[in-house]
């Protein structure tokens, strides 16, 4: 089956996690999603200063390059989360996206390098929502899941 996380497993027979742990996991997922949206939108603010050094026409390519990586990596990110664990893949994705995002000012003079880093950032962030859904499934009690 393509989505084995939707099947009932032995983990469902374990007692539910304490409410404080579930709330903490939910808070961490919310922080990761807020970070992801911040990294997704930050170049829109800084591109006006960077484009003065670029030849005309690069701005659209730079701004759209994130979504190319995001589009390509969404399904593979979910499959990686199923295979290697959502926590591991989510941590690796956020770390890689943060590193790529932090490196953008270092290569700001070259629009092709900025495009490459933004694609890496989009590819790394593509696993965010598949991992978040798998974590929510694992940490939500059967009584609190929607039917």
């Amino acid at each position: 089956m393509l989505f084995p996380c939707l099947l009932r497993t032995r983990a469902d027979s374990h007692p539910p996690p304490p409410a404080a742990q579930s709330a903490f996991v939910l808070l961490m997922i919310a922080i990761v999603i807020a970070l992801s949206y911040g990294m997704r939108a930050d170049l829109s603010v800084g591109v006006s200063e960077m484009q003065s050094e670029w030849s005309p026409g690069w701005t659209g390519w730079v701004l759209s390059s994130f979504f190319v990586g995001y589009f390509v990596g969404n399904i593979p990110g979910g499959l990686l989360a199923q295979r290697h664990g959502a926590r591991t893949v989510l941590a690796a994705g956020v770390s890689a996206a943060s590193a790529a995002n932090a490196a953008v000012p270092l290569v700001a003079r070259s629009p092709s390098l900025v495009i490459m880093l933004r694609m890496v950032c989009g590819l790394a962030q593509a696993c965010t929502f598949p991992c978040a859904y798998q974590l929510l499934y694992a940490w939500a009690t059967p009584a609190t899941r929607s039917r």
Side-chain angles (χ1 to χ4, degrees):
M1 176 172 202
L2 184 59
F3 300 106
C5 66
L6 298 178
L7 295 174
R8 293 292 211 198
T9 62
R10 288 176 285 145
D12 292 332
S13 63
H14 292 170
Q21 286 181 346
S22 295
F24 179 75
V25 169
L26 184 63
L27 176 68
M28 290 294 109
I29 290 171
I31 289 171
V32 165
I33 290 172
L35 271 171
S36 296
Y37 276 111
M39 284 188 277
R40 185 178 301 186
D42 66 353
L43 192 65
S44 301
V45 175
V47 76
S48 59
E49 293 296 322
M50 288 190 275
Q51 71 182 355
S52 61
E53 298 182 21
W54 301 339
S55 59
W58 280 103
T59 305
W61 288 101
V62 168
L63 291 176
S64 63
S65 60
F66 173 89
F67 297 102
V68 171
Y70 192 83
F71 175 76
V72 169
N74 221 330
I75 292 175
L79 294 173
L80 279 172
Q82 286 179 353
R83 177 169 290 191
H84 300 290
R87 286 184 294 179
T88 305
V89 174
L90 184 60
V94 170
S95 299
S98 298
N101 200 38
V104 167
L106 302 174
V107 298
R109 291 181 187 253
S110 170
S112 58
L113 290 176
V114 174
I115 287 172
M116 183 190 70
L117 284 175
R118 292 298 289 176
M119 284 182 165
V120 168
C121 191
L123 192 63
Q125 283 188 23
C127 67
T128 301
F129 284 103
C131 288
Y133 293 139
Q134 287 186 16
L135 287 171
L136 288 174
Y137 176 79
W139 282 89
T141 62
T144 59
R145 294 182 198 147
S146 68
R147 305 249 180 236

